[in-house]
Every structure is written in structure tokens, then in C-alpha cells.
């Protein structure tokens, strides 16, 4: 038979018994353990051995002929993989597998092997490799968690059987899972693809990984068993019905839901309508009274708004009156002016003459101003020329004084030239500058050597100081270790360092930086906790794994993140420790209570709970309760009896320690109350919370080291003193050399300065000679410049004389202008006197005329004021007409034309008096009444339309149901026939029906009825009537009943046989073999119209679907026919490096030989 092999799993070293040791055994009760049997050697004889038997007991309970002529049932060799079934699965670095390749058969595939070898891993690979998510497995939530520990990525490669109509060769889907980033990368037939395309490709083969009727992984068995009949109907339709049926069912549920909501809404609307109508009738009288009052209030408001209109009418009448008065006054003024015109004519003539003389006076006054400006210009020109002549005089005087100074400069320059020439003739003393430089270099070199030596001494001092500090730290640590040898805390810290250096280093860092955290961070339990009574220390320590002893406890997620980043090196400059465990426990012990009370605990034979025997901080104790279950684990120094053991198996207690053994119960509720297994192991000798005597050898070593380190410190101190004395001597030498170097530098500078000055004498002489020539040339040009200035001065003097003549002429013109002005001024005075005399003679006439004009002006001002007021009132009225509503505008337009302001005010007071006589009431009643009426109108319309909508929904429901229900009945009948046939083969009965709820399509459900005993009726399958094994049998038969109707190319069932008794397991296995491999139909033969390909497929392939049955155990002597494929998972620490070296065929032949020898014996 084909077999799948994987490399051996290596046990990690250095762990504190994290896995079960060799003493662990799986037992149902303590009384079920058997003794070891003798092992057969290769020659067939028996020899005593303490090892496990080579073959299971089942091989010895059946006879086997030595000729080995038995043949297996055969099946048609033409069976091939159906399109979409799995041909090959290849894995690398996936969960437990390093590398493996499976070749499933086209029919029934039995995947067997002990727990933990990787059977369910194959199921996980199928799910993830075909594009579905980890949520369909019920295990890890992230795909990256399926990468093998220590690896960066894994890959899954699945080859599906091709559909000849669409593919030339088998399609291959490959999925690469990367731990970093939690990514999955897909390819299809070697070409890059994505998850969505892969899922669409698989769905084209009718693969439904998310349907528990077709794909039932181990961790989803409970979920499938807990599936109610309604959910089972939905899953059944997904598995075997068309997509249209699912859509019709969903539409029926939605329509019924919509109909119920509409009916509920209709009832609510009708109730609301009746309520609203009643309230309307009750408030109708009040509303009418309030409306009348509002009408009066509105009239008062309109009347008050009409005040500007009355005022405007009054202003308009007054304007008309003042307009008429202005017209009459103007006419009277005109008549008076015509009457006094002859008397005023002489006055007007005198007045015109005076005006003419006045114009002449103004003209001659302007002539004076022009002459005055011309005179000012002439004066300015004369003064300017006079100033320029004076400037020339000052320039000639400056030239004369400058020539005298230059003569003095020339004499001084001559003296400097003679002095420089004399200095150049004197001999200059030679100075050896290079010798000074060399001597200075020697001094600098000596200083540098002293400094280098001083630096060496300083470095030596630093090294010696650091060495001394290091020795002192060693002394301090040794003294602390010496103290720790004699203290409990110290002993535990030493044990912590031996057990995990990383954890010890992390604990030291936490103690130094405790203040950086928001709340206290607790150390490992082996340091923080202790056992109260040493007699229980073995029992308590047997409950702990290594990680439990070493775990740090934080009290909030922020401290967890900070500590994790610090210790695991996620941030720059931080630790990178691997063997560190951090746990977050925000709560206290209040959340953890024992599973039973104290009296019940003593009845089970326990002396207390593990929590009662441990001391430690409350937070650490709460963490241990959460992870180690100290509050739920019973402890007893004596072993318990069989009666107490049976009581514990049926209780809620899952673990306890009694005597020298620890017990742990595993309950599989999904397989019924009897599906339990108990793991028993011997408790180990305690090594953590034990008191040990002081290690005298270690104490002597520490004392010797302290004495040696003290001597080394004294020697280092003596070396420091010697070096310090040498540094003082070097400092004194350095100061002497520095002083000598500075003296040489100053002497060299003086010599260099003198030499530079002597070399600069020729340049200075040339500069003085050049200056002498320049000064001499300037003296030669002085006379020429003075003559040029004198010539310019003569020209300016002539121009000044001409300007003086122009000034005299301007003064004469100004004098004549003044004379003419005076003459005109005299004539103006005479004309003014004549006019005053004439005016005095006509004073009475003028007074009458002025009075009349004043009267006309007053009337005009009054008219203008009245007109302006009327315009403003008109603007106010126009704005009011624009801003007011239509009702108020209409009211204002209909006001009486002749109504005065007094009449309007009287009407306003009358309406206000009426308003005061009426009760005010609730101001919001009318608005509420009107809004309620609108709501009533809407509801009446809605209620009237309800029946039409209901009839329409009823019609749609009826039309869809007439299509969906017959198809569903036919489908369920086929499933029921197949299910009954399968149950009949095991001498039981069963049928499948539909529970039809006429009121709610959501409540339609699959109803499975079974009968496992002859004298009982068919009963509905549920957890109260049938046992776990009976439910498991019914479940697998129901799944097989879907086979002939299925649209899926393969089906996976993981550990469905757990919880079955041996009889049911044999019957189920036999049926599965018959259906999947022997060609037997799943239901009684039926004739389909026309036959065709489906009949042929059913005849040849036994339904045509591929089965994967995963189980950790099988009974002996089960049916096997050719066509089945058994995939035996071989994994463990004894697997060879090269899996190809394992010859499973030879193992089978050896087993057959052993059976034959035993039978012959």
C-alpha cells in the first residue's frame, strides 16, 4: 500500500520537560493497563523484552495461512480521478513537515497515524493551498503560523485532476506562505496568480471548502455536530443543490421577512392612525378658539404695521398744503418786484458802474504783483553774480596760501631723502635666522616628547583605573554571591542563571529599570514564589513547564510591548534575548475560583488545590492560575482509590496530582459524555523550590578570589602613585623648555624686524623722491591757475553791471504800476459812495422786497422738510409692502383711504381689548394640530396602499415557492432514500425530511429521524436522545447520502470516528468502503431518463467522489478492497534522514509472516 513519509521530528535539547516523557501513558482507567508482552525476533521465536510489541494484538487474534494465498476484493481498474479531485499534494516546511509528497487515490483515502504526526496537517494544506482562509480550519488564525518553526516560508503544491473538456493536463496550484508579512503568494500552472483567481478556478470544479458537508476538518467537527437543522438545510443546499435554489430560498426568506415587517408596520400604522384621529377630535374646539385668538393677534399685528401708512397719508396732505402756499408766495413776490422796478433802476446803474471800477482795481493790483516778481528776479540775479566774483577772490587767495604750504612740504621731503640715503650707507649687522629656527625646533621637539610621554602615562593611569574598577566590581559581585549562597533569594537567582542566562540577564535589567514602567513588572515565579510546605514541592513543580518557571508578568499591554521590544531587540541599541517569556495579566485572583467547593474537594480525596500551597505576589499567582490552572488542580500526598478516580472522570476537574503521579483528563464533548482519555505520568523530583545546603567549595573559591583581587587592587594603586610622581617631574621639565623656547622666539622676532626695515629703505627712498617731484610740479602750476581765475572774474564783473541796470528798470516799472493802482482805487471809492447814497434813498422799497423774499424762502424750507418726511415715510411703506407676506400686503392695500392715525390707534386699542378677554391657552396647540393632521393624511394614504403591496409580495412568494419547493422535496427525497438504504445496511433505520414552517421560511429545516434499536420508533436526531457514537454514525451516513447528488469532486472528514463504539465504527467503515470503492450505489437503484454519463460514472466509480478519512486509530480486521488507498503518516524521532530508506512493503511482509507463525503455533 502507498505510504507518505516525512523526516523525523527532533526533540529539542535543554528544555525542562516541556513534552511528555517516556513514562506517559494513555489509559481510560488505571485498571486498563496491560503488562508488556514478549517481542518476536526475526526468526519467529519469542524472547522476553521490555519493549513494546512489534505488531498490535489484532494480528495475533486472527489466523493467517502460511501460503498467503488470500486475495483482496478487486474493483474495476478503469477508475480514474474525477475532474477536480486531488491527484498529488506536495509540502515543504509546512507545520510539522520538512518535505513530503502525497498521492491520494481516486476513491477512499484512509489517512492514519498516531496523534501529532501530521494527519490534520494534510487537511490544512488542502484548505490553504486551494485559496481558502485559515478561519475554515478552526486552528491558527494567521497563515504565517502554519510555517514550520525556524523556517521563513513554506509552500503547498496541489495537483488536481483535469477536466478533459477544459484542460489538456492536470492543473497545478502552488501557494507560497511567507512568515514575514503574513503573506500568501499563489501561482496557477506555473504562472503568477492571486487568491481570488485561485478560488474562482476551484469553484469551477464545485469545490466548497467552506461547506462543512463537504470539508469537515478536525477542529470543525464540534461546529458541524452543533449545527442546527436550519443551518444543516442551508449547508445541504450549498452542497448538492443548484445556485438558483439557494437564491430562491434566500429570496423567499427575504420576501417573508419583508411581508412580516410590512404587516407589523401596517398594524402599527393603523394603531397610530386611530390614536391620532382621537386626539384630533379632542382638541378640535380648543384649536378653533386658538385660531380665532390668533386671527385677532394677527389683525393687531397688521394694524400696528399700518401706522407708517397713516403717517404717510397725513404727511402727503401737509405736503400738498405747503406746495400751494409756496406757489402763492412766489406769485406775490413777482408782483412786488414789478411794482418797485423803476425805483431800483438808478440803484442798479450805480451798482453796475461800481462793479466796473472794481474790476479795473483788481487788474491794476495784479500788474503790481507782476512788476514786483520781475524786480525780485533782477535782485536775485545781481546777488548771484556778486557772490561768484567773491568766490573767485577766495579761490585766488587759497592758491596763494597753498603754494606756501607746498614749499614747506618740499623742504621736509628733501630732509627725509637725505636721512634715508644716510641710513642706506650705514652697514647692517647680519643675523642667522635659521640657527634660531633650529634651536626653537629642538626645544619644541623636546616638549613634544615630554607631552607624548605624559600622554602614555595618562593612558596607563586610565587603564590601571579601569582595571581597578573592574577588580572592585568583581569583588562586589563575589561578595554579593557570597551573601547569596547563604540566602534563599540568592540561591534562586543562581538557579535562574543556570536554567536560563537570557532570563537572568533580563531580570537584572528589569530590576535596574523598574521605574520606567507604568506598573510593577514581576520576575519569574521561581524567584518571586515559593512552596509553603516542602512536602508538596514535588507535586507543585510537576505542574510547571520550563516557560512557566521563567515567565515575566506585566500588568498592562503598554508595559508588555515596551519590555518585549527591549528584550527581543526590536529597537536599535537593545538586548536580543531569545529564551525569554513575557505574560500579561491585568487582573487579580478574584477571577479564579475552584471548580468545586471544599467539601466536594475532600470527597475526591484531595488535601487542597495547588494554589493553596504556593506563596507569591497576587499578580504572579493570577498568571499561574491562568496558564497552569493552579486553582483547578487538586493535590494529595496519597494516591486516590478507584471510586474517587471514577468520580473525578465524571466531574468538571481536569487535572490533579496524587501520590507519585499526575493525571490529566481530555474530554471530547462532541463525541458524547463517554469520549474521555486520561494521561498519567510520574512526577519528577523537585529541583527549583528546594532548600540546599551552602556550597562550601564555592564559598572557599569566592573568598580566595576576593583576597586575590584585593591584592591586585593594592598593586594597581602603587603603580598609580609611581606614575603620578613621574608625571610631576615631566611637567616641571616641560615648563623650563617652554620658557626657553619663548625667549628664542622673541629674540628671533627682533632680528627679523630690523632686517625687514633695512631691506625696505630703497622703497621708502623711491616713495619720497616721487613725492618730491609731485610737489614741485604742483608749485609750477599755481600762477597759471591764479591767472585763469582772474580772467573768469572779469567776465562775471561785466555781467554783474548789466544785471544792475536790469534791476533799475524793473524798479521803475513797479513805481508806475503803483501809481495807476492808486488812481483806480480813488475812482472805486467815489463809485461806492454814490451807490450808498442811492441805496439809502430807496431803503423802504428794499425792506418790503426783502421781507417778501424771506417769506418765500421760509415757505420753501417748510415745503422741503415736509417733502423729505413724506419721502422717508413712503420708503418705509414700500419696504413694508415688499417684506410682508401676501396676507399682510393685501390687508394694507385694503385700508380705508381717509383713515387718520388717531382712528388707526383707536382700532388697535379696540382689538387688543378683545384679545385680553380671550384665554391665551397653549401656543403650540395649532401647530401640533396641523402637524398631526398631515401625519393622519399620510397614514391614511399608506394604509390604503398596504393591501396592494401585500398582494404583490404574496404573488411573488407563491411564484418562487412553486418553483423551489418541488425541487427541494425531490432533493430531500433522494437524500432520504440514500440515508435509509445506508442505515438499513447496518440493521438500523432512518429517514430525512423537511420541517416546513408556513409562517417563516427562515425556520425550514432538515429533519433527520433514526432508529438504532428494533423495538423503538423513529426519533429525531439530537444530543438528548442518541449517544455520541450514534450521532457520529448518523452524521457520516448523512454525508455519504449526499454523495450521489454532490457537485464536489472530493470530500474530507477528519476524525469523525472518534467516540464511536467498535461495532458502529466497523459498520461505518464497511459502508464507506462499499460506496467509495466497490462500485455499490449509495441508494437503491433508480432509473434516470435516458441514462447517460452520470449513470456510467455512478456504475464505475461508486458515486464518483474522492474521500479523505483521517483517523488516529483503526480497529483490526476492517474491510479492505483494492481501490482504497491508505496513507500512513510516519514521523518521529526514529525516522531516518532519508525517508526513501524506509521499506513499508517489507514491514507488511514481516507482519504477515509473524501472523502466520503465531497461527501455526
Amino acid at each position: 500500500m502507498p505510504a507518505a513519509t516525512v523526516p523525523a521530528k527532533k526533540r529539542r535539547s535543554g528544555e525542562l520537560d516541556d513534552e511528555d516523557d517516556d513514562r506517559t501513558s494513555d489509559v481510560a482507567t488505571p485498571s486498563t493497563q496491560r503488562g508488556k508482552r514478549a517481542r518476536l525476533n526475526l526468526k519467529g521465536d519469542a524472547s522476553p523484552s521490555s519493549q513494546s510489541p512489534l505488531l498490535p494484538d489484532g494480528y495475533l487474534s486472527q489466523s493467517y495461512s502460511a501460503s498467503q494465498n488470500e486475495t483482496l476484493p478487486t474493483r474495476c481498474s478503469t477508475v480514474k480521478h474525477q475532474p477536480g479531485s486531488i491527484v498529488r499534494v506536495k509540502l515543504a516546511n509546512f507545520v510539522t513537515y520538512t518535505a513530503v509528497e502525497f498521492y491520494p487515490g481516486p476513491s477512499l483515502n484512509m489517512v492514519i497515524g498516531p496523534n501529532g504526526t501530521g494527519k490534520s496537517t494534510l487537511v490544512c494544506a488542502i484548505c490553504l493551498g486551494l485559496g481558502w482562509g485559515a478561519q475554515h480550519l478552526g486552528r491558527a488564525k494567521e497563515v504565517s503560523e502554519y510555517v514550520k518553526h525556524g523556517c521563513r516560508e513554506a509552500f503547498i503544491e496541489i495537483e488536481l485532476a483535469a477536466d478533459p473538456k477544459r484542460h489538456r493536463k492536470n492543473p497545478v496550484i502552488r501557494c507560497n506562505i511567507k512568515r514575514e508579512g503574513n503573506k500568501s503568494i499563489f501561482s496557477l500552472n506555473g504562472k503568477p496568480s492571486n487568491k481570488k483567481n485561485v478560488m474562482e478556478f476551484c469553484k469551477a470544479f464545485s469545490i466548497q471548502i467552506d461547506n462543512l458537508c463537504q470539508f469537515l476538518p478536525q477542529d470543525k467537527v464540534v461546529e458541524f455536530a452543533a449545527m442546527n437543522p436550519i443551518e444543516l438545510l442551508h449547508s445541504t443546499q450549498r452542497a448538492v443543490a443548484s445556485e438558483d435554489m439557494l437564491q430562491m430560498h434566500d429570496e423567499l426568506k427575504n420576501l417573508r421577512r419583508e411581508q412580516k415587517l410590512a404587516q407589523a408596520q401596517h398594524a402599527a400604522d393603523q394603531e397610530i392612525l386611530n390614536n391620532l384621529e382621537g386626539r384630533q377630535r379632542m382638541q378640535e374646539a380648543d384649536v378653533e378658539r386658538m385660531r380665532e385668538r390668533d386671527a385677532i393677534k394677527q389683525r393687531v399685528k397688521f394694524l400696528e404695521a399700518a401706522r407708517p401708512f397713516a403717517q404717510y397719508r397725513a404727511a402727503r396732505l401737509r405736503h400738498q398744503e405747503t406746495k400751494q402756499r409756496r406757489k402763492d408766495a412766489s406769485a406775490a413776490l413777482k408782483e412786488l418786484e414789478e411794482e418797485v422796478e423803476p425805483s431800483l433802476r438808478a440803484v442798479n446803474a450805480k451798482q453796475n458802474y461800481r462793479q466796473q471800477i472794481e474790476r479795473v482795481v483788481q487788474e491794476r493790483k495784479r500788474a503790481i504783483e507782476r512788476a514786483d516778481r520781475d524786480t525780485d528776479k533782477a535782485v536775485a540775479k545781481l546777488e548771484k553774480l556778486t557772490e561768484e566774483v567773491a568766490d573767485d577772490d577766495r579761490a585766488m587767495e587759497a592758491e596763494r596760501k597753498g603754494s606756501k604750504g607746498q614749499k614747506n612740504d618740499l623742504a621736509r621731503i628733501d630732509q627725509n631723502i637725505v636721512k634715508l640715503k644716510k641710513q642706506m650707507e650705514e652697514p647692517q649687522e647680519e643675523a642667522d635666522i635659521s640657527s634660531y629656527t633650529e634651536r626653537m625646533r629642538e626645544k619644541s621637539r623636546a616638549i613634544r616628547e615630554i607631552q607624548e610621554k605624559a600622554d602614555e602615562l595618562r593612558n596607563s593611569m586610565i587603564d590601571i583605573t579601569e582595571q581597578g574598577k573592574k577588580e572592585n566590581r568583581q569583588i562586589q559581585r563575589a561578595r554579593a554571591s557570597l551573601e547569596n549562597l547563604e540566602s534563599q533569594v540568592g540561591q534562586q537567582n543562581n538557579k535562574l542563571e543556570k536554567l536560563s542566562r537570557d532570563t537572568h540577564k533580563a531580570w537584572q535589567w528589569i530590576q535596574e529599570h523598574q521605574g520606567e514602567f507604568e506598573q510593577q513588572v514581576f520576575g519569574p515565579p521561581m524567584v518571586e514564589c515559593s512552596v509553603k510546605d516542602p512536602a508538596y514541592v514535588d507535586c507543585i513543580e510537576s505542574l510547571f513547564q520550563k516557560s512557566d518557571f521563567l515567565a515575566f508578568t506585566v500588568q498592562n499591554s503598554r508595559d508588555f510591548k515596551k519590555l518585549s521590544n527591549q528584550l527581543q531587540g526590536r529597537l536599535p541599541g537593545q538586548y536580543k534575548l531569545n529564551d525569554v517569556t513575557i505574560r500579561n495579566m491585568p487582573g487579580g485572583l478574584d477571577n479564579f475560583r475552584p471548580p468545586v467547593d471544599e467539601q466536594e474537594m475532600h470527597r475526591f480525596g484531595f488535601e487542597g488545590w495547588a494554589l493553596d500551597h504556593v506563596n507569591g505576589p497576587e499578580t504572579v499567582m493570577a498568571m499561574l492560575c491562568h496558564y497552569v490552572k493552579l486553582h483547578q488542580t487538586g493535590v494529595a500526598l496519597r494516591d486516590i482509590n478507584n471510586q474517587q478516580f471514577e468520580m473525578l472522570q465524571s466531574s468538571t476537574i481536569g487535572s490533579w496530582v496524587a501520590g507519585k503521579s499526575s493525571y490529566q483528563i481530555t474530554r471530547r464533548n462532541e463525541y458524547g459524555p463517554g469520549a474521555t482519555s486520561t494521561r498519567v505520568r510520574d512526577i519528577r523530583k523537585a529541583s527549583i523550590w528546594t532548600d540546599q545546603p551552602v556550597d562550601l567549595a564555592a564559598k572557599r573559591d569566592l573568598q580566595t578570589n576576593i583576597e586575590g583581587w584585593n591584592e591586585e587592587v593594592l598593586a594597581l594603586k602603587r603603580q598609580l602613585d609611581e606614575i603620578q610622581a613621574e608625571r610631576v617631574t615631566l611637567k616641571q621639565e616641560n615648563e623650563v623648555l617652554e620658557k626657553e623656547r619663548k625667549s628664542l622666539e622673541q629674540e628671533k622676532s627682533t632680528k627679523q624686524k630690523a632686517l625687514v626695515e633695512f631691506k625696505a629703505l630703497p622703497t621708502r627712498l623711491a616713495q619720497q623722491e616721487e613725492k618730491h617731484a609731485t610737489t614741485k610740479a604742483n608749485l609750477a602750476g599755481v600762477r597759471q591757475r591764479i591767472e585763469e581765475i582772474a580772467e573768469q572774474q572779469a567776465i562775471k564783473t561785466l555781467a554783474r553791471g548789466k544785471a544792475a541796470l536790469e534791476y533799475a528798470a524793473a524798479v521803475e516799472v513797479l513805481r508806475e504800476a503803483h501809481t495807476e493802482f492808486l488812481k483806480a482805487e480813488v475812482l472805486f471809492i467815489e463809485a461806492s459812495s454814490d451807490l450808498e447814497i442811492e441805496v439809502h434813498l430807496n431803503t423802504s422799497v428794499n425792506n418790503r422786497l426783502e421781507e417778501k423774499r424771506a417769506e418765500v424762502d421760509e415757505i420753501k424750507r417748510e415745503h422741503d422738510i415736509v417733502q423729505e418726511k413724506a419721502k422717508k415715510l413712503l420708503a418705509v411703506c414700500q419696504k413694508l409692502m415688499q417684506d410682508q407676506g401676501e396676507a399682510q400686503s393685501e390687508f394694507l392695500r385694503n385700508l380705508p383711504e381717509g383713515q387718520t392715525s388717531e382712528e388707526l390707534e383707536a382700532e388697535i386699542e379696540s382689538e387688543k381689548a378683545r384679545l385680553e378677554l380671550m384665554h391665551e391657552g397653549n401656543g403650540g396647540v395649532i401647530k401640533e394640530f396641523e402637524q398631526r393632521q398631515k401625519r393622519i393624511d399620510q397614514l391614511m394614504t399608506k394604509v390604503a396602499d398596504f393591501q396592494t403591496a401585500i398582494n404583490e409580495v404574496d404573488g411573488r412568494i407563491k411564484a418562487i415557492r412553486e418553483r423551489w419547493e418541488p425541487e427541494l422535496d425531490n432533493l430531500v427525497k433522494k437524500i432520504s432514500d440514500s440515508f435509509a438504504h445506508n442505515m438499513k445496511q447496518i440493521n438500523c433505520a432512518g429517514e430525512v425530511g423537511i420541517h416546513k414552517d408556513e409562517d417563516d421560511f427562515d425556520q425550514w429545516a432538515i429533519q433527520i429521524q433514526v432508529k438504532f434499536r428494533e423495538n423503538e420508533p423513529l426519533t429525531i436526531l439530537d444530543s438528548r436522545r442518541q449517544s455520541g457514537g450514534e450521532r457520529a454514525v448518523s452524521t457520516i451516513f448523512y454525508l455519504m447520502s449526499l454523495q450521489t447528488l454532490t457537485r464536489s469532486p472530493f470530500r474530507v472528514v477528519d476524525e469523525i470516528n472518534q467516540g464511536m463504539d467498535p461495532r458502529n465504527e466497523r459498520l461505518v467503515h464497511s459502508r464507506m468502503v462499499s460506496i467509495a470503492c466497490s462500485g455499490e450505489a449509495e441508494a437503491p437503484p433508480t432509473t434516470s431518463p435516458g441514462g447517460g454519463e452520470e449513470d456510467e460514472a455512478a456504475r464505475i466509480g461508486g458515486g464518483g467522489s474522492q474521500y479523505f478519512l483521517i483517523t488516529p486509530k483503526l480497529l483490526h480486521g476492517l474491510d479492505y478492497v483494492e481501490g482504497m488507498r491508505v496513507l500512513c503518516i510516519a514521523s518521529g524521532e526514529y525516522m531516518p534522514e532519508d525517508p526513501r530508506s524506509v521499506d513499508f512493503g517489507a514491514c507488511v511482509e514481516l507482519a504477515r509472516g509473524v501472523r502466520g507463525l503465531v497461527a501455526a503455533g
Side-chain angles (χ1 to χ4, degrees), residues 321-334:
E321 293 174 358
T322 56
K323 184 177 180 182
Q324 185 62 39
R325 287 173 57 204
R326 185 190 66 176
K327 183 178 180 182
D328 295 343
S330 297
L333 176 61
K334 185 176 181 181

Side-chain angles (χ1 to χ4, degrees), residues 19-26 678-682:
E19 303 294 335
D20 296 337
D21 53 25
D22 293 335
R23 293 169 293 178
T24 302
S25 61
D26 291 335
T678 304
R679 185 178 65 180
V680 183
R681 62 178 181 179
D682 296 337

Side-chain angles (χ1 to χ4, degrees), residues 204-224:
F205 285 107
S206 298
I207 296 174
Q208 298 179 5
I209 298 296
D210 54 346
N211 189 344
L212 296 181
C213 288
Q214 295 185 3
F215 189 88
L216 190 60
Q218 177 182 353
D219 293 279
K220 291 287 185 175
V221 170
V222 177
E223 182 177 334
F224 184 83

